[in-house]
Amino acid sequence: MRLLVLGTGVMAKNQLARFPLIDGVTVVGAVDTDPERLSAFADKFNIEKRFLSLEEAIAWGEFDAATNVTPDRIHHPTTMALIAAGKHVFCEKPLAENYAKALEMTEAAEKAGVINMVNLTYRNVAPLQRAREMVLAGELGTIRHVEASYLQSWLVSRAWGDWRTESTWLWRLSTGHGSNGVLGDVGIHILDFAAYGAATDIDHVFARLKTFNKAPGGQIGEYLLDANDSFTMSVDFANGALGVIHASRWATGHLNELKLRIYGERGSLEVIHRPSGSELHGCLGEDVESATWTKIEVEPVATNYQRFAEAVASGIQPDPNFRHAANLQKVLDLAMVTERERRELKV
């Protein structure tokens, strides 16, 4: 697979630490509108072909697939152009700014017959995959209740950089710069983490969003800091379970932590993912009576990057695809409506 990298920011660097290690994958070109950033990125990863626009890269055309690592609002126009050119697309999340655009991208990719995949990175978490297998195998019995959280602390910590001075972070706090806040940024991750692990879809949603004051006048330079920082969400799942999902960038002490608890009639599971690693714990069988939790060992799983490369080679569409991400975007869109109208909505 000849791969084009579209966008050369932080996440592109993370991807380039993985894609070139896959047999059969060659990174053949990079695109960015900032010439200095493009040059530094291409030099670092020994990429020969460099383009200041996607149009130039498509005109060149010597690539099979592209990884779209542009800012959220750029996903739609660039992905539509790649699909029109017949290229397979690996897109960062969220797929688009709203469900209508995400659905348009989905239908275009499906009509064109190109491989399409969204990088919901926590599908790479082996304990999540194992939890889903156990749920599907009926080891927990009927699922009754689900808890999920995504906690970050970069608004109270400089561990990832200083959001007060760095555009990398400031744009994520500003709707005017294409951000839908923590809901749009990591909401799709934790919704997928919860629904995928519990092996069901979200059926109804009611959400509360909160934007806290972070600077005098709520603004730093050109950035109006009006995007939501925290959300809480009550959901009904299609299998009848009730769920509570929340996320925040104010979670002091949690650099980047996802947690999922799945409670069934015959047992429960807990998945925890942190930068230091991932774990799966279970309370099953006789341990239910004593509320004893035991660590469950799991085998490694293929990454999204590996599965995308395999899909391009085989022509078999993998999951999570564009349609799945579009459906999650619909939940996120409705969550914002429920905040405004203070009412539950059916997905």
Side-chain angles (χ1 to χ4, degrees):
M1 178 178 74
R2 299 170 300 171
L3 184 67
L4 178 79
V5 181
L6 177 59
T8 61
V10 174
M11 194 60 204
K13 294 182 177 69
N14 291 340
Q15 289 196 15
L16 265 288
R18 295 168 176 81
F19 266 124
L21 302 179
I22 302 171
D23 288 342
V25 174
T26 303
V27 179
V28 296
V31 183
D32 201 298
T33 56
D34 185 321
E36 291 185 6
R37 186 169 58 205
L38 173 63
S39 179
F41 180 87
D43 288 347
K44 177 179 176 65
F45 294 104
N46 299 312
I47 301 171
E48 180 181 355
K49 292 292 183 178
R50 307 163 187 202
F51 305 95
L52 291 174
S53 73
L54 178 58
E55 290 76 13
E56 291 177 29
I58 289 175
W60 170 63
E62 299 299 315
F63 62 100
D64 307 301
T67 177
N68 192 337
V69 208
T70 58
D72 297 355
R73 62 166 43 174
I74 309 300
H75 289 178
H76 174 265
T78 52
T79 295
M80 292 297 289
L82 288 164
I83 292 170
K87 306 301 182 181
H88 308 294
V89 184
F90 184 80
C91 188
E92 270 303 319
K93 59 78 205 167
L95 183 57
E97 293 175 90
N98 56 56
Y99 175 64
K101 289 183 178 180
L103 183 61
E104 183 183 2
M105 295 159 71
T106 298
E107 292 177 342
E110 291 176 350
K111 183 177 180 180
V114 297
I115 297 298
N116 56 93
M117 191 170 177
V118 176
N119 191 23
L120 295 170
T121 52
Y122 299 108
R123 291 290 185 94
N124 301 332
V125 175
L128 179 68
Q129 298 280 355
R130 180 62 183 134
R132 177 180 172 86
E133 291 174 359
M134 295 174 71
V135 170
L136 289 172
E139 295 185 42
L140 278 65
T142 302
I143 305 303
R144 297 301 191 195
H145 193 83
V146 177
E147 299 176 48
S149 62
Y150 194 145
L151 304 178
Q152 295 180 327
S153 60
W154 58 267
L155 285 176
V156 290
S157 166
R158 292 180 175 83
W160 292 14
D162 189 348
W163 63 266
R164 298 167 185 82
T165 58
E166 299 177 17
S167 60
T168 300
W169 306 110
L170 275 170
W171 81 265
R172 297 176 185 272
L173 305 175
S174 174
T175 61
H177 288 77
S179 176
N180 283 326
V182 70
L183 180 72
D185 188 15
V186 306
I188 193 169
H189 276 313
I190 196 59
L191 290 181
D192 184 64
F193 206 74
Y196 184 77
T200 185
D201 294 320
I202 294 172
D203 192 55
H204 286 77
V205 59
F206 177 72
R208 293 296 307 273
L209 314 177
K210 186 77 172 182
T211 304
F212 297 94
N213 185 43
K214 294 175 286 296
Q219 188 165 353
I220 295 179
E222 65 181 272
Y223 298 91
L224 180 62
L225 310 181
D226 59 345
N228 59 84
D229 303 321
S230 297
F231 76 79
T232 60
M233 188 182 295
S234 172
V235 302
D236 287 352
F237 289 98
N239 65 1
L242 189 66
V244 179
I245 301 172
H246 67 100
S248 181
R249 290 169 170 158
W250 291 98
T252 306
H254 298 276
L255 289 179
N256 194 67
E257 178 192 275
L258 290 86
K259 183 179 289 185
L260 171 64
R261 288 173 172 162
I262 308 167
Y263 301 104
E265 287 183 313
R266 297 197 288 119
S268 300
L269 293 173
E270 178 184 69
V271 181
I272 302 176
H273 174 75
R274 302 185 180 100
S276 57
S278 311
E279 292 185 354
L280 174 63
H281 299 91
C283 181
L284 304 161
E286 295 181 358
D287 286 342
V288 170
E289 299 300 329
S290 59
T292 300
W293 290 78
T294 303
K295 184 177 179 180
I296 300 172
E297 298 298 332
V298 298
E299 296 295 323
V301 296
T303 66
N304 287 344
Y305 313 106
Q306 292 170 313
R307 292 191 297 110
F308 178 71
E310 290 169 1
V312 170
S314 68
I316 300 173
Q317 176 62 50
D319 185 59
N321 57 21
F322 279 16
R323 186 161 292 278
H324 174 75
N327 290 339
L328 289 177
Q329 189 62 49
K330 184 178 183 181
V331 177
L332 296 174
D333 286 4
L334 289 176
M336 289 193 281
V337 176
T338 69
E339 158 68 14
R340 290 196 301 269
E341 300 183 0
R342 293 293 195 269
R343 66 186 180 98
E344 179 187 62
L345 290 175
K346 178 174 172 53
V347 176

